[in-house]
Amino acid sequence: MQNAPKRSALVLALIMIFLSFGQKVAAQEQKTDRLVEQFDNSPSLSTAHAFLQELHHQGLIEQPIRFAATTPIDTLRQQVWYWAAEYFYDCQDYGRAAAYGLKALPLCQVGGNRQVEGDCLNILALTYVRKGEFEHAAKYAKLCNQLDLKQGDADNIASSYNTLAGIYMSLRQPKEAEKYILKAIGYCKKAGNPVRMAVLEGMASEVYHHLGDDETALDYATKAWQAEQQLGRPDKVAIRQAQRAAALIALKRTAEAKQALQEAIPELRKSGNLHSLGIACNQMGLLLLREKNDTAAVRYYNEALTIFTSQHDIYNESHTRRGLYEALRNSNPSMAMLHNDRYNDLRDSLYDRETGELLSKYAAEYGYEELQQQNADDRSAYRLYLVILVVLIAVILAAWFWYRRCQQRRIRRLMQELAKYEDSRCDDSRCEVRGTGYENGDELQNTEVEGNLVPRTSHLAPREEQVAPRKEQDAPTTDTPADPLTAEEREFLMRVIEVVNLRLVTREFSIDAVATEMGMSRSTFYRRLQDASGFTPKAYIMAIQMRRAENLLKRHPDMLITEVSEQCGFEDVSSFNRAFKRALGVSPSQYRENNLPPIQ
């Protein structure tokens, strides 16, 4: 009992301190209100300076704002009314905040200062969110965001996206809010504003808490709480603690949640942040209910009820009424039922027809805007893909033409190599091509026609060289380059040419057939031919066919293209035309008309 007087004195001292602080705050508010009214009645430079200086003294304006003596009166009105809107919003007098914001907005738009115009649109959007007039809030938030996107300031864009996220949270659409808060965080990272980032992380915590992802909500709230501590803003630290508590309660980490709220609530009372204080009181009331401490829970719920009824916040009031019903139903059932009835009325009014239509309208509107943006992104991506596709096709075509050109050059080079055999000397009987159907180089016998790549020995060299002594034939000359082929390789190639020419008309000149005729396996034939000529069997046989066609077209102008095709081993003339054009770049008929000489 001896301690009772001491406790009473302590409580009385705390009450006196609280009242003193409240009186001081009230005096400051009255002074600021008088300055605003004085400026409205008689706008002047001195009154504007006095009002803005007072806001700087209260910490609402970071740097003092000064105007020149020649500043137009409309500029003064624009600034004073805009900052009046900020001031009354901070005081949670949302009606006056909206009124001054609406007075400042036309002057901001006429003045051409897009930064101030965006700030004014933003404060109007926030104010109407607090007033529960979401249609107006969404209109101003949308205009602010569009303006910020045009200006390209990442920090302002992050702010306006955050406002849109707040509107969707007020509309109880956290999934839509998630998209905007993530966009806001992305832009804030570009801007590098730690103060803004703490605010956005706090909003993200609320979004994910309402989505039921409380681990993510706690992570965001903790990062915001730590950031606010580093920034040295105790009033904001308290808000982040309340946000942490919401996630911790959902995660059933009761002790941590209670500690966070015990730290947050006194600071929220001190700073005068009534809205956050009301939410924190609701949270503490819930924890106390779980501890079966109904009496303490009622005290916190009553404090929250006073706040939310004064602010006409029916959503949070409904939670408070439900908590009071639970806390009073054993000790005061009649009062509990009154709270329960009011809770049911509020719950029904939260989603009445008008609100439902509003939700649908803005969900559709912003969904359409998202779709439009997505379509624009898709069109940009489509154009990029189209350009890439065109470039890729051009590269492929260029590569294809280059490959065709290289193939033509390879075939023509091989044909030139084959032509050398026609002009080379070959007195060895083993080099004589038998059964070719040539007589004197220009007569046709039986079904064979001239055009074989290796005619009879008599046709290989001029006649005067044929009667020369053997010794002179073999003597090297300085005008003739040395043959890179060995005698064995040369004999092998001559034999391949002979076999292919003999089999062209019967069309039995496949690689397997030629290898069998040569008395070797396919793999051995393939390897020896490539080693000796540098070409695959397929390319070598095609060159023999083209060389024969070239000779026939040149030396027998009256022969039908169909006959030439048959004599060169093709089953139909269309295949022959394609192969000839691939090899020489012109059709057989064009080659004949142009009277191109055979390649030598």
Side-chain angles (χ1 to χ4, degrees):
M1 295 297 295
Q2 294 177 354
N3 293 329
K6 293 182 179 180
R7 286 196 297 267
S8 300
L10 180 60
V11 172
L12 182 61
L14 289 174
I15 292 173
M16 294 300 295
I17 292 172
F18 182 76
L19 291 174
S20 175
F21 176 77
Q23 289 173 354
K24 183 178 179 181
V25 171
Q28 285 182 337
E29 291 180 354
Q30 289 175 1
K31 179 180 178 181
T32 310
D33 290 357
R34 285 197 304 270
L35 288 171
V36 173
E37 292 175 4
Q38 184 179 345
F39 182 86
D40 287 344
N41 295 329
S42 179
S44 67
L45 184 63
S46 60
T47 308
H49 280 158
F51 169 69
L52 296 173
Q53 182 64 33
E54 181 62 26
L55 295 188
H56 174 60
H57 178 70
Q58 294 179 23
L60 189 63
I61 299 177
E62 295 181 1
Q63 299 293 333
I65 300 174
R66 303 291 297 179
F67 300 106
T70 56
T71 302
I73 193 65
D74 278 350
T75 302
L76 294 178
R77 288 193 177 102
Q78 175 205 82
Q79 287 292 302
V80 170
W81 288 342
Y82 163 71
W83 284 109
E86 290 276 6
Y87 165 72
F88 286 116
Y89 177 84
D90 191 62
C91 294
Q92 301 180 21
D93 187 347
Y94 302 123
R96 295 175 74 181
Y100 278 104
L102 291 173
K103 289 172 67 174
L105 182 59
L107 297 174
C108 294
Q109 293 170 330
V110 171
N113 188 333
R114 299 307 177 200
Q115 176 68 41
V116 176
E117 181 184 353
D119 291 341
C120 192
L121 289 168
N122 187 64
I123 196 64
L124 281 169
L126 294 173
T127 300
Y128 281 111
V129 168
R130 294 301 188 187
K131 286 169 63 65
E133 299 178 25
F134 300 124
E135 185 172 3
H136 290 97
K139 179 181 75 172
Y140 290 117
K142 176 183 174 183
L143 290 172
C144 180
N145 183 247
Q146 290 174 345
L147 184 63
D148 290 340
L149 288 170
K150 287 180 181 179
Q151 297 301 308
D153 187 309
D155 191 43
N156 288 338
I157 295 171
S159 175
S160 55
Y161 272 133
N162 182 50
T163 304
L164 284 169
I167 291 172
Y168 274 104
M169 286 298 295
S170 299
L171 292 172
R172 313 303 163 204
Q173 294 189 35
K175 196 62 183 174
E176 294 297 317
E178 180 188 21
K179 295 188 294 186
Y180 288 106
I181 195 60
L182 292 179
K183 286 182 179 181
I185 290 173
Y187 276 101
C188 192
K189 287 179 180 178
K190 296 179 183 178
N193 185 343
V195 176
R196 178 85 64 201
M197 184 59 75
V199 174
L200 298 181
E201 287 171 340
M203 174 63 78
S205 175
E206 294 186 18
V207 169
Y208 283 104
H209 173 61
H210 283 81
L211 286 172
D213 185 357
D214 285 291
E215 290 289 354
T216 303
L218 179 59
D219 181 58
Y220 273 115
T222 301
K223 288 192 291 186
W225 172 56
Q226 293 169 344
E228 298 290 11
Q229 287 179 317
Q230 292 176 355
L231 292 167
R233 305 197 302 175
D235 55 329
K236 305 301 181 184
V237 170
I239 296 173
R240 307 309 166 213
Q241 281 285 53
Q243 291 168 335
R244 291 183 69 246
L248 289 167
I249 291 171
L251 293 170
K252 302 188 184 315
R253 294 163 60 173
T254 306
E256 295 175 73
K258 191 172 183 179
Q259 181 181 353
L261 289 171
Q262 287 172 341
E263 295 175 5
I265 289 174
E267 185 60 41
L268 292 171
R269 288 183 182 135
K270 179 181 176 181
S271 64
N273 189 335
L274 297 180
H275 188 266
S276 297
L277 175 60
I279 293 174
C281 286
N282 270 350
Q283 293 171 338
M284 183 62 86
L286 177 61
L287 290 178
L288 293 169
L289 276 179
R290 291 180 180 179
E291 294 177 356
K292 308 300 183 183
N293 190 349
D294 294 347
T295 302
V298 169
R299 289 200 301 269
Y300 281 101
Y301 278 129
N302 280 330
E303 186 174 1
L305 183 62
T306 302
I307 292 170
F308 293 133
T309 53
S310 66
Q311 292 184 343
H312 307 288
D313 186 341
I314 62 174
Y315 177 79
N316 284 305
E317 182 188 344
S318 68
H319 286 282
T320 307
R321 298 281 184 179
R322 181 64 178 175
L324 283 168
Y325 164 75
E326 295 290 343
L328 292 170
R329 65 179 180 174
N330 294 323
S331 61
N332 192 344
S334 60
M335 182 61 70
M337 289 307 299
L338 289 175
H339 285 300
N340 188 58
D341 291 341
R342 177 59 179 161
Y343 163 73
N344 288 326
D345 292 340
L346 292 173
R347 184 188 60 184
D348 294 339
S349 66
L350 280 173
Y351 296 103
D352 59 13
R353 180 178 177 182
E354 181 180 354
T355 305
E357 291 175 352
L358 184 63
L359 292 175
S360 301
K361 173 183 176 181
Y362 280 100
E365 178 179 346
Y366 286 108
Y368 175 74
E369 290 177 356
E370 287 289 308
L371 181 61
Q372 289 292 89
Q373 182 63 43
Q374 183 64 45
N375 287 340
D377 294 342
D378 289 345
R379 284 193 295 271
S380 298
Y382 174 75
R383 285 192 291 269
L384 177 61
Y385 293 148
L386 186 61
V387 170
I388 293 174
L389 180 61
V390 170
V391 171
L392 184 61
I393 291 174
V395 170
I396 292 173
L397 288 175
W400 182 75
F401 281 115
W402 177 82
Y403 173 77
R404 286 286 305 275
R405 184 66 175 167
C406 289
Q407 287 294 96
Q408 287 182 3
R409 289 176 179 174
R410 282 171 55 85
I411 292 294
R412 291 180 68 83
R413 181 161 58 85
L414 179 53
M415 290 169 66
Q416 290 173 346
E417 291 294 327
L418 295 173
K420 292 178 182 178
Y421 291 120
E422 296 180 4
D423 298 336
S424 66
R425 300 204 39 171
C426 188
D427 289 341
D428 193 331
S429 61
R430 289 175 299 177
C431 295
E432 182 179 352
V433 181
R434 298 175 294 278
T436 60
Y438 281 99
E439 291 295 338
N440 298 324
D442 55 7
E443 296 290 339
L444 296 177
Q445 288 188 353
N446 302 324
T447 60
E448 299 279 350
V449 294
E450 185 178 8
N452 291 1
L453 290 177
V454 185
R456 295 176 64 88
T457 303
S458 61
H459 186 67
L460 288 176
R463 295 185 182 275
E464 60 270 21
E465 293 187 3
Q466 293 181 25
V467 298
R470 177 67 177 268
K471 183 177 180 180
E472 294 181 6
Q473 292 173 357
D474 295 341
T477 64
T478 58
D479 297 331
T480 304
D483 192 344
L485 299 177
T486 64
E488 183 180 359
E489 290 174 334
R490 185 179 181 84
E491 181 177 357
F492 172 75
L493 293 178
M494 297 292 285
R495 176 62 179 156
V496 172
I497 296 169
E498 174 187 2
V499 169
V500 173
N501 272 299
L502 287 172
R503 289 173 169 270
L504 284 180
V505 176
T506 60
R507 300 190 183 91
E508 298 176 354
F509 55 91
S510 66
I511 296 174
D512 289 332
V514 175
T516 301
E517 183 71 19
M518 298 287 291
M520 59 186 67
S521 67
R522 177 189 175 94
S523 59
T524 302
F525 172 67
Y526 194 107
R527 176 178 52 77
R528 287 195 61 184
L529 182 60
Q530 186 137 15
D531 289 345
S533 67
F535 291 89
T536 63
K538 182 178 180 181
Y540 204 83
I541 292 171
M542 178 60 71
I544 294 173
Q545 290 177 282
M546 293 299 100
R547 180 62 182 169
R548 183 169 190 171
E550 194 178 39
N551 283 335
L552 290 174
L553 291 169
K554 177 66 177 177
R555 298 178 182 177
H556 297 279
D558 295 332
M559 182 179 290
L560 297 175
I561 300 297
T562 304
E563 289 185 73
V564 176
S565 171
E566 292 173 353
Q567 292 297 323
C568 293
F570 289 89
E571 294 184 357
D572 57 81
V573 70
S574 61
S575 299
F576 170 63
N577 285 335
R578 286 195 300 271
F580 193 91
K581 190 166 185 178
R582 273 199 307 269
L584 283 85
V586 294
S587 66
S589 58
Q590 289 173 327
Y591 181 86
R592 172 177 280 168
E593 290 172 3
N594 295 336
N595 196 26
L596 295 176
I599 299 174
Q600 298 294 335

